[in-house]
Amino acid sequence: LPSLPVGPASSPALHLRADGLSFAYPDRRVLTDVSLVVPAGRPTGLLGENGSGKSTLLRILAGQLRPEAGTSAVPGPVGVLHQELPFASSVALAEVLAHALDRSRRLERELIAAGEALGAEGDEPPPHAVQRYDQLLAEATLADVWNAERRAAEVVEGLGLDGIDQGTEIGRISGGQRERLALAHLLISRPTSWLLDEPTNHLDDAGAAFLAAAVSAHPGPVLIASHDRAFLDDATRAQLDLDPAESPAAAEPGGLTAYTGGFSEYLLARFEARDRWEHRYRTEQEELAVLRQAVKDSASVGHADAAPRSEARISKKFYADRNAAVVSRRLRESRARLAQLEENQVRRPPAELHLTHLPPASTRGGAGAVQLAVSGAALAERLAPTSFSLSAGQHLLVTGPNGSGKSTLLDLVTGALEPTAGSVDRPRGLRIGHLGQDDAPLPGRTVGRHLREAAGWDGADEQAVPELFGLVHPRDLSRPLELLSRGQLRRVMLAAVLLDVPELLVLDEPTNHLALVTATRLEAALATWHGTVLIASHDRWLRS
């Protein structure tokens, strides 16, 4: 995209803006009348349930998708984090890094040339020459061109790429390293606006901390969609939430809600807003029920077989019965209030995750009895000898870097794999609920059928609805599993695990692909459940 005129970081010209954006795919609408402002120097998180349109919105702002309606203005150049680098696999890592420095070197050359041109004009250079110099100086300052070489070295080290020979072809490095290289290219080239979709994928804790510092220091607008709650808490100072918020039921849902502060502040504000929404909805529904009954009662004569009152009959009785005036007035007031409330009532809040219908887990052998004993269990080339025991009611976290054997250990615990050395002992018939890291959908099976079978309702009516725990929307029960998004499938698989109440709940990266609020509610629900839980996770927020 062409560069826009730039000024100080606080200048409104540097703010990212969108007004009234709407977009629909052939099978669903994802964005309706979305307006937003991302101020320069205030990194902002983009939040929302799976399928709420976060990635779509980023693509529209990047100019990769054309909205059905609305406009956007993004100060250029715009940096978009590519999942795959736009370079041939034969290109060396050093060439990618050199390409990232091209803009800084060009700006520096142009600024020097513009300065020399000013000097050649004498004491009164023409306005266009001064304007050209000022614009180049502002762009060079935003791009930090004078520190570009040093920043490049810091980025390479901060993202853990310094251990790779820079002569290595990018086709010969791992997928995770290529994603980190794509992020390094963006940070080194330092465009004015940053649009980042899941930037902490394949970053360790040190890499995520380095990126958070870089985001916080950037003077231009930064908009980030991420499932990494700890990163959002460290890096952002405002949040834009695409999830449904309190709104009139008669209006088409859409827009977004803006919050100030990091992710922790957002969570508190979001939960408080949700409580207010639920309270208002309950209050309005109770009042609606009372008003409807009052109108029904007021429209009836004093005995059951009498015909409904008409306005004409009420008028005739007015002078005969002074109480008729009061009845008529109350009826009009009730009808007016009922009509007003039916028009302006808030939409019903969508169900949110809960484990309130999950019975207490049985404690076989009594509380504190050993439910799992792992003694020197190992799997050749996948897991070193590991030992631990787990008592009823305990919650245990398994953590470690990628490839250290977390998923393998969980598969040994559940019996999906047999150890090549050591042993895994568990009571006979122990009910284990296992949520795998990447459970695949069963072709041809609907959500409803999958959940009914998980609940043991094999012969149940197709209309029967088991407990959904706020994880699955009833409208999705007829959808085939293979048509769900990764996040939707994740929630269905978790609900299926919970329906057959486990004595031992084994969760492998349970927050993967879950929306941030859903993941937070899952953690809170598990914390109050008395069952035995074994969790493997690299999620920094969950681990803390």
Side-chain angles (χ1 to χ4, degrees):
L1 294 179
S3 297
L4 299 179
V6 294
S10 59
S11 168
L14 278 180
H15 295 351
L16 182 158
R17 302 176 186 274
D19 184 40
L21 295 178
S22 295
F23 188 87
Y25 292 103
D27 61 335
R28 70 193 190 283
R29 173 166 290 281
V30 291
L31 299 174
T32 302
D33 195 24
V34 170
S35 299
L36 59 94
V37 176
V38 179
R42 186 189 296 173
T44 300
L46 181 60
L47 314 177
E49 267 289 356
N50 306 97
S52 62
K54 299 187 296 296
S55 295
T56 300
L57 178 57
L58 289 176
R59 292 181 65 194
I60 290 173
L61 296 174
Q64 298 171 354
L65 282 178
R66 183 183 297 275
E68 295 174 354
T71 59
S72 62
V74 185
V78 180
V80 181
L81 180 58
H82 298 281
Q83 297 302 313
E84 285 296 330
L85 281 163
F87 296 98
S89 59
S90 59
V91 172
L93 186 143
E95 295 176 70
V96 176
L97 299 177
H99 182 275
L101 287 167
D102 281 351
R103 178 171 176 256
S104 290
R105 290 165 174 163
R106 175 182 58 79
L107 282 172
E108 189 172 13
R109 290 195 302 270
E110 291 179 355
L111 183 62
I112 291 172
E116 292 173 347
L118 277 181
E121 296 287 349
D123 294 336
E124 295 186 9
H128 70 85
V130 175
Q131 183 179 6
R132 169 67 173 161
Y133 181 84
D134 287 346
Q135 178 169 339
L136 284 170
L137 178 60
E139 288 193 34
T141 301
L142 270 175
D144 192 25
V145 300
W146 297 280
N147 297 307
E149 299 282 352
R150 177 181 57 78
R151 279 192 302 101
E154 290 175 350
V155 167
V156 169
E157 180 182 1
L159 297 183
L161 297 170
D162 51 332
I164 306 173
D165 187 327
Q166 294 200 4
T168 306
E169 296 179 355
I170 62 174
R172 300 176 64 85
I173 62 179
S174 70
Q177 289 171 328
R178 284 197 297 273
E179 289 198 23
R180 281 184 277 146
L181 182 58
L183 179 58
H185 186 279
L186 184 146
L187 296 182
I188 294 169
S189 60
R190 192 149 170 165
T192 301
S193 299
W194 297 1
L195 303 175
L196 309 181
D197 196 354
E198 300 298 345
T200 59
N201 284 355
H202 304 288
L203 291 185
D204 58 15
D205 290 0
F210 175 84
L211 177 59
V215 165
S216 298
H218 184 59
V222 182
L223 186 59
I224 307 168
S226 176
H227 281 84
D228 189 335
R229 291 165 290 174
F231 172 73
L232 286 174
D233 215 32
D234 292 340
T236 62
R237 301 205 298 275
Q239 315 299 324
L240 300 175
D241 190 354
L242 286 167
D243 279 346
E246 182 180 317
S247 62
E252 184 177 7
L256 52 71
T257 307
Y259 296 86
T260 58
F263 184 75
S264 294
E265 290 87 354
Y266 156 78
L267 269 184
L268 291 174
R270 161 70 188 258
F271 289 154
E272 289 173 358
R274 170 75 185 205
D275 288 343
R276 290 194 299 271
W277 185 6
E278 290 178 342
H279 176 73
R280 179 179 172 183
Y281 177 79
R282 287 194 304 269
T283 301
E284 287 182 346
Q285 294 308 304
E286 290 168 1
E287 186 178 358
L288 280 168
V290 170
L291 287 170
R292 286 167 182 151
Q293 188 62 47
V295 169
K296 180 179 178 182
D297 293 344
S298 298
S300 301
V301 192
H303 53 89
D305 297 330
R309 251 181 215 170
S310 66
E311 292 296 329
R313 290 186 63 194
I314 291 174
S315 298
K316 288 177 183 178
K317 286 179 62 66
F318 180 81
Y319 293 103
D321 185 356
R322 59 190 296 178
N323 292 329
V326 176
V327 172
S328 179
R329 188 184 73 250
R330 287 177 179 171
L331 180 58
R332 286 196 303 272
E333 290 174 350
S334 294
R335 284 175 173 167
R337 173 59 181 157
L338 178 61
Q340 180 188 40
L341 192 54
E342 285 182 331
E343 181 179 355
N344 298 326
Q345 63 178 306
V346 295
R347 189 179 312 280
R348 181 176 185 171
E352 291 198 332
L353 184 144
H354 57 271
L355 298 187
T356 53
H357 294 279
L358 192 63
S362 63
T363 53
R364 187 181 302 223
V370 174
Q371 249 182 357
L372 182 70
V374 178
S375 242
L379 194 66
E381 299 182 358
R382 292 177 60 179
L383 179 69
T386 304
S387 302
F388 68 93
S389 64
L390 191 59
S391 299
Q394 281 189 326
H395 293 184
L396 182 65
L397 173 69
V398 178
T399 189
N402 290 334
S404 59
K406 299 188 298 294
S407 296
T408 300
L409 176 60
L410 266 54
D411 284 340
L412 292 178
V413 165
T414 61
L417 293 174
E418 291 296 327
T420 53
S423 63
V424 177
D425 296 316
R426 46 183 117 62
R428 185 182 300 276
L430 180 72
R431 287 198 315 279
I432 299 177
H434 182 204
L435 179 70
Q437 187 171 157
D438 291 299
D439 287 336
L442 297 171
R445 178 175 292 195
T446 65
V447 172
R449 179 185 166 193
H450 185 75
L451 294 178
R452 283 190 293 273
E453 290 189 8
W457 299 2
D458 294 355
D461 182 349
E462 289 191 4
Q463 303 305 314
V465 180
E467 172 57 46
L468 302 178
F469 303 105
L471 288 164
V472 181
H473 197 289
R475 67 166 175 257
D476 290 332
L477 291 173
S478 60
R479 294 185 66 189
L481 291 172
E482 60 262 37
L483 294 185
L484 300 179
S485 70
R486 295 174 77 182
Q488 290 169 328
L489 179 65
R490 191 72 170 159
R491 296 199 300 271
V492 170
M493 294 302 183
L494 178 56
V497 167
L498 297 175
L499 279 167
D500 183 15
V501 185
E503 297 171 88
L504 171 60
L505 185 57
V506 179
L507 305 174
D508 195 353
E509 300 291 357
T511 59
N512 273 9
H513 314 303
L514 288 185
L516 306 184
V517 171
T518 302
T520 304
R521 287 191 179 277
L522 173 62
E523 292 159 358
L526 289 175
T528 59
W529 188 54
H530 297 298
T532 312
V533 182
L534 180 62
I535 296 179
S537 179
H538 70 281
D539 184 332
R540 288 189 292 158
W541 189 280
L542 180 148
R543 279 160 29 206
S544 70

